[in-house]
Amino acid sequence: MIASRHGGFLASRIARLCEQYLNAYNNIANWDIATNGELRALRTLLAQLGGDVIDVGANEGQWAREVIPFLNGRRIFSFEPIPAIFAQLQRNLAGLPQAIPVNLGLGSRAQELEFNFSPAVSTISSAYPLIYDEPGGETVKCRVVTGDEFVEGNDIERISVLKIDVEGMEADCLAGFERTFARGAVAAVQFEHGPSHVHSGHTLKHFIDWFGQRDFRVFAVFPNALRPVEYDLHRETYAGQNFFALHGDHGGLAGL
């Protein structure tokens, strides 16, 4: 009966309202760090976990500036490969001694890689196609290294939070940290799964399996809690959501 009314005004309006309700209920596509639960989770985790913070896909330093008050003297390495965006990152983090801007990308191997970049929307740079068809898009070659190479070359003993927001390149970035994960040096990973992964082909299940093989459990971010993800194939979506992966030793922090 409902399907027979597909396209009708009232049925379409109800469907849109239902979609909006479910997106809000599941905290989908809410990127406001102050309200979506992300900042709360970071404050909780950084109070309990030791080690430096790695910010991959730092953009102009928005995330780094939110996190710095919780570092308690620890370092935050903020990676941004696009030169024009990196210049703004440097300006925004100037005068903050614990913040270290790094003009590199992190990937599965060291290389020169061509990135797609939109001056109008700096947050969507990627080696994959841009998720929005922005006019005036450019390509720029950037240097990429592995996380293992950087960690081992900069005396980073432990990583409290590895934040990865690289528009579909998350799996490539994680692959470059294989040795660091293998020695148990990463406590928590924050990552997004959303529209950019349509281009990369990485499902949410890919990340849940990858982390599970390394004794991490994936949690979805909600305003008042981190909730364990019980994967359901029928609810696989690319709408956009924030997640934390916590190592087995630290899974209990999700409930704080």
Side-chain angles (χ1 to χ4, degrees):
M1 180 188 70
I2 294 172
S4 68
R5 287 163 173 76
H6 185 89
F9 174 80
L10 181 59
S12 297
R13 180 61 178 162
I14 292 172
R16 283 195 297 272
L17 289 172
C18 289
E19 289 174 352
Q20 291 168 4
Y21 175 84
L22 287 174
N23 284 342
Y25 179 76
N26 290 306
N27 211 25
I28 297 294
N30 179 1
W31 307 122
D32 182 356
I33 189 172
T35 64
N36 66 6
E38 184 181 345
L39 194 59
R40 175 195 174 278
L42 288 165
R43 183 170 57 244
T44 300
L45 292 173
L46 288 171
Q48 301 290 327
L49 301 174
D52 294 315
V53 174
I54 305 290
D55 174 13
V56 191
N59 196 247
E60 297 177 354
Q62 302 94 320
W63 187 89
R65 290 184 67 91
E66 295 282 1
V67 168
I68 283 171
F70 312 130
L71 291 182
N72 297 318
R74 289 171 288 187
R75 299 174 296 178
I76 178 169
F77 296 89
S78 294
F79 289 81
E80 175 52 55
I82 308 293
I85 303 175
F86 180 74
Q88 185 61 48
L89 173 68
Q90 285 184 303
R91 289 190 287 270
N92 289 343
L93 299 184
L96 300 171
Q98 65 270 59
I100 304 170
V102 185
N103 190 201
L104 293 171
L106 293 182
S108 58
R109 61 188 178 89
Q111 60 180 315
E112 290 286 321
L113 192 60
E114 194 169 80
F115 279 73
N116 296 302
F117 160 58
S118 170
V121 187
S122 65
T123 56
I124 59 174
S125 305
S126 177
Y128 291 106
L130 300 180
I131 58 173
Y132 306 123
D133 186 17
E134 289 292 330
E138 305 173 9
T139 59
V140 57
K141 284 193 174 181
C142 302
R143 186 178 168 217
V144 173
V145 300
T146 68
D148 287 331
E149 178 184 345
F150 188 86
V151 165
E152 292 159 7
N154 288 274
D155 300 319
I156 299 173
E157 294 295 326
R158 288 193 57 76
I159 298 171
S160 54
V161 175
L162 169 59
K163 170 262 192 181
I164 308 175
D165 181 5
V166 287
E167 302 302 310
M169 301 175 68
E170 283 78 1
D172 301 300
C173 180
L174 286 168
F177 279 94
E178 195 61 66
R179 293 194 300 274
T180 307
F181 276 93
R183 66 181 176 87
V186 181
V189 181
Q190 181 191 345
F191 69 100
E192 293 179 3
H193 184 262
S196 56
H197 292 96
V198 172
H199 295 303
S200 70
H202 294 119
T203 61
L204 179 58
K205 186 177 187 300
H206 169 89
F207 293 102
I208 292 173
D209 290 346
W210 193 94
F211 283 114
Q213 292 161 9
R214 291 156 182 82
D215 195 26
F216 280 72
R217 183 156 190 200
V218 175
F219 297 81
V221 177
F222 282 84
N224 59 353
L226 296 179
R227 302 190 183 280
V229 175
E230 303 296 339
Y231 183 77
D232 181 348
L233 175 65
H234 300 290
R235 294 187 177 184
E236 180 76 56
T237 176
Y238 295 92
Q241 194 169 10
N242 258 303
F243 297 92
F244 277 87
L246 303 182
H247 189 264
D249 294 340
H250 309 296
L253 295 177
L256 295 180

